[in-house]
Amino acid sequence: MTGNTTRHILLGRVVGAFGVRGQVKIESWTEPREAIFRYQPWTLRDAAGNARELIGARGRNSGKHLVADLPGVEDRDAVDALVGLEISVPRSALPPPRPDEYYWVDLEGLRVINADGRDFGIVSHLFSTGANDVLVAKGDKERLIPFVQPEFVTGVDFQAGVVGVDWDPDF
């Protein structure tokens, strides 16, 4: 692990109102998506970076979104003020990953080195394509490396701060 336990992990966002009694629709990026309610306290952050902590959110699955009751949110006007807010939690609120599984945020900032010892820079971020996840290494240039183990990602060493890859430096 990188030891960065104060970092916040983005888990979802408030996308709208559900009815007129203060319930909100939540888009969750957890797996399963209802797991978002297990990780609290939430930090609600707007586009300007203003944040507030929320404890006690509860909800249920409702088709495309989750429907949630948030403490202190009693009517549609209060919900409208929350639409668009991002939901994050401290990294320390998440359970440890299983062996050979990684939270993307824990990989960010690690050095990326290929089998020949060539340094590709650092892990900027990762994203999903549907077919597989992609690691973005930024160094002398940006490289998009499929996060497929062991074919392209040969190992992750948190102690050394390195992601090993089998990747051509010219690609």
Side-chain angles (χ1 to χ4, degrees), residues 114-116 118 120 143-146 151-152 165-171:
N114 79 350
D116 297 329
R118 175 88 183 264
F120 289 167
R143 290 180 175 85
L144 305 178
I145 303 168
E151 291 84 359
F152 303 119
V165 297
D166 186 2
W167 199 251
D168 187 330
D170 295 325
F171 192 72

Side-chain angles (χ1 to χ4, degrees), residues 4 20 24-25 38 66 74 85 110 116 121 125 127 150:
N4 189 354
V20 295
V24 298
K25 289 193 279 188
R38 288 193 298 233
L66 300 174
E74 305 296 328
L85 296 185
L110 298 181
D116 297 329
H125 62 283
F127 63 91

Side-chain angles (χ1 to χ4, degrees), residues 65-140:
H65 301 289
L66 300 174
V67 173
D69 291 299
L70 307 181
V73 178
E74 305 296 328
D75 59 35
R76 179 92 184 218
D77 291 336
V79 171
D80 289 342
L82 301 176
V83 172
L85 296 185
E86 294 180 335
I87 302 166
S88 65
V89 298
R91 167 62 180 87
S92 60
L94 301 177
R98 293 188 295 253
D100 295 324
E101 289 188 346
Y102 314 99
Y103 287 115
W104 288 358
V105 69
D106 293 339
L107 299 173
E108 293 172 2
L110 298 181
R111 304 255 14 123
V112 179
I113 299 178
N114 79 350
D116 297 329
R118 175 88 183 264
D119 189 334
F120 289 167
I122 64 164
V123 177
S124 166
H125 62 283
L126 292 96
F127 63 91
S128 180
T129 64
N132 56 265
D133 298 331
V134 175
L135 179 145
V136 179
K138 288 192 177 181
D140 60 333

